[in-house]
Amino acid sequence: MRLGRTCAAVTIGLLSLSGVARADLLSLSVTGSSSSVNASGKSLPDLVDDLINTQGKFQSLSGQSYNAALNYGDVQNAILLDSNSAGTDVTLRIPSTGLTRRFTGSSSEDVQQQIKDFLLKDGSSEYAKFLEQINKQSLLGVVDGNPRATTALFSDHAFRAFGINRAPARFDAGTINVASGFRFDGEVGVADNDEASETYYNGALSTGFSGENVGVVFTYIGSYRDVDGSALFSSGFELAVPIGLIPAKGAGGVSWTLTPVGTVGGGASYDLAAGGTMWGLGLTSSFSLQAGPFVFTLANQYTHYEGFSLDIGEYHFDTNVSQDVLKNGVGVTFLIGTAAYIDGSLSYTNFLNDAAVDHYWTPSIGAGLKFGHASGIHIAYKGDFGSDYTSHGGEISLYFGY
């Protein structure tokens, strides 16, 4: 509910404005009847609080009519507000969605309450449309549209755990089950784009029930992103059912695993006043061929994500996400005896629906050490390269029975 209140506060806060400017991430620009003020910040709630209380840069704005504009990353004039000097007649416009709505009341507090009720109740779908446009136009998208968004996080985990990173553990002495035991995946890195720089931390904890041909794996996935001082979070649960169509039987030969995957979760940012919840269904294919000390892997994945709404008390929250993610990759592993290996892979991700970064390449190179039957540790470099987007990171996988 706090996020929803924040979404409303972002717009309500503009009611007290008369001038604001462009920031690293967020900026408010206002032309008042007698003065103008420009301000920027890392957090919309903090920015809005200063405006509402006419403190800091906004001390001179009290009692003025104004025209206000919010710039959200590279999306200029994302939200526009026009107000009379008393704050009793306010027009809200969102150009990207075509919304224009006028609010009038007996006092500025009355109008502010009307806008809050509109954004958190009947008009929540309008704010969801606004966030949808942010995902399509800005690299600050929280739940969709870029390589660190929630949809990308979920699809990437399934692709690497059940697709491109399965080969090293599949070739060992004896029959190898498709899933069992425990796996931890961690990733940390930095990213740069034309709007901001960020540091990200991803983690996934899995456990499974094994069989020679069929397994069931439960995973919790979490992520924290620091985007120029703004905090973004993603979290979700994944259920996967690896099916060994051609089970690995030890050294040599081929293996082919198909893994249906279902995911439910979401992302949120208090600082960016954004977020949403979604479910996803997908299928991951991993085909491997061993020739001498080399293992060649072909991995493919398709996943569909759809947003769903939440009702909390009298408040309603919508998520406008409908995204299809296609991932394809090839990898090669060189086995060093029976205990170690080095590997590399190249993957391509394509958001089939509109996205700020609609496709990107992911190279990876790493090494692993096996210390048991289909168990071990793997460490690798992993990057993402797309239009106006670059990231570099390191990942670690600790697996038992995968």
Side-chain angles (χ1 to χ4, degrees), residues 253-332:
V254 301
S255 71
W256 184 22
T257 301
L258 283 180
T259 306
V261 177
T263 311
V264 62
S269 173
Y270 175 80
D271 291 330
L272 297 183
T277 51
M278 70 189 72
W279 57 264
L281 291 175
L283 183 66
T284 304
S285 170
S286 181
F287 181 87
S288 295
L289 168 67
Q290 183 174 11
F294 292 95
V295 181
F296 302 94
T297 299
L298 174 66
N300 302 282
Q301 178 183 276
Y302 166 80
T303 312
H304 174 74
Y305 295 97
E306 196 73 27
F308 62 86
S309 61
L310 286 177
D311 289 299
I312 303 177
E314 62 181 341
Y315 300 112
H316 182 78
F317 305 97
D318 285 313
T319 301
N320 281 16
V321 169
S322 186
Q323 185 61 266
D324 298 290
V325 183
L326 183 64
K327 299 180 78 75
N328 307 97
V330 292
V332 59

Side-chain angles (χ1 to χ4, degrees), residues 13 52 57 102 126 128 136 144 157 160 170-171 181 193 201 211 224 236 266 285 308 315 317 319 338 341 351 379 382:
I52 290 176
K57 293 182 179 180
R102 185 181 180 186
E126 295 296 335
K136 294 177 180 179
D144 191 29
H157 172 265
R160 300 192 74 77
R170 304 264 54 82
F171 295 87
N193 57 64
Y201 307 86
Y224 169 75
S285 170
F308 62 86
Y315 300 112
F317 305 97
T319 301
T338 60
Y341 58 89
F351 287 102
I379 299 175
K382 175 173 168 279

Side-chain angles (χ1 to χ4, degrees), residues 15-245:
L15 301 176
S16 302
L17 278 184
S18 267
V20 200
R22 169 105 173 145
D24 293 339
L25 293 180
L26 309 159
S27 64
L28 293 168
S29 300
V30 178
T31 301
S33 55
S34 59
S35 64
S36 296
V37 177
N38 298 317
S40 61
K42 314 295 186 182
S43 170
L44 275 179
D46 293 345
L47 205 57
V48 166
D49 184 63
D50 284 348
L51 295 171
I52 290 176
N53 294 288
T54 58
Q55 59 190 19
K57 293 182 179 180
F58 307 106
Q59 293 180 0
S60 64
L61 301 176
S62 179
Q64 296 185 43
S65 60
Y66 63 79
N67 304 112
L70 166 69
N71 293 336
Y72 198 110
D74 274 357
V75 181
Q76 303 295 304
N77 301 320
I79 295 178
L80 304 175
L81 280 174
D82 303 319
S83 175
N84 65 358
S85 59
T88 56
D89 189 343
V90 175
T91 299
L92 165 67
R93 288 177 288 150
I94 303 180
S96 61
T97 68
L99 173 69
T100 298
R101 184 159 181 123
R102 185 181 180 186
F103 301 87
T104 60
S106 58
S107 65
S108 61
E109 290 79 11
D110 179 29
V111 171
Q112 290 176 14
Q113 186 62 47
Q114 289 182 42
I115 296 178
K116 175 183 175 182
D117 289 342
F118 174 72
L119 292 175
L120 293 180
K121 297 178 183 178
D122 296 337
S124 63
S125 61
E126 295 296 335
Y127 195 78
K129 292 177 184 177
F130 166 70
L131 293 180
E132 179 183 13
Q133 293 303 313
I134 293 297
N135 294 333
K136 294 177 180 179
Q137 300 178 40
S138 171
L139 291 167
L140 300 183
V142 176
V143 299
D144 191 29
N146 65 79
R148 303 267 78 81
T150 307
T151 51
L153 173 73
F154 291 165
S155 62
D156 188 64
H157 172 265
F159 184 74
R160 300 192 74 77
F162 302 107
I164 202 68
N165 277 2
R166 291 187 64 81
R170 304 264 54 82
F171 295 87
D172 203 342
T175 299
I176 299 173
N177 295 336
V178 295
S180 64
F182 162 89
R183 175 167 174 158
F184 169 77
D185 294 283
E187 183 179 1
V188 59
V190 294
D192 288 294
N193 57 64
D194 64 354
E195 296 180 46
S197 299
E198 71 175 278
T199 304
Y200 58 88
Y201 307 86
N202 303 334
L205 185 63
S206 305
T207 186
F209 303 96
S210 66
E212 182 176 340
N213 297 309
V214 180
V216 178
V217 182
F218 301 93
T219 303
Y220 169 76
I221 305 169
S223 173
Y224 169 75
R225 302 163 58 191
D226 183 305
V227 182
D228 274 357
S230 295
L232 292 72
F233 301 89
S234 293
S235 181
F237 295 92
E238 175 188 272
L239 173 63
V241 184
I243 302 171
L245 299 181

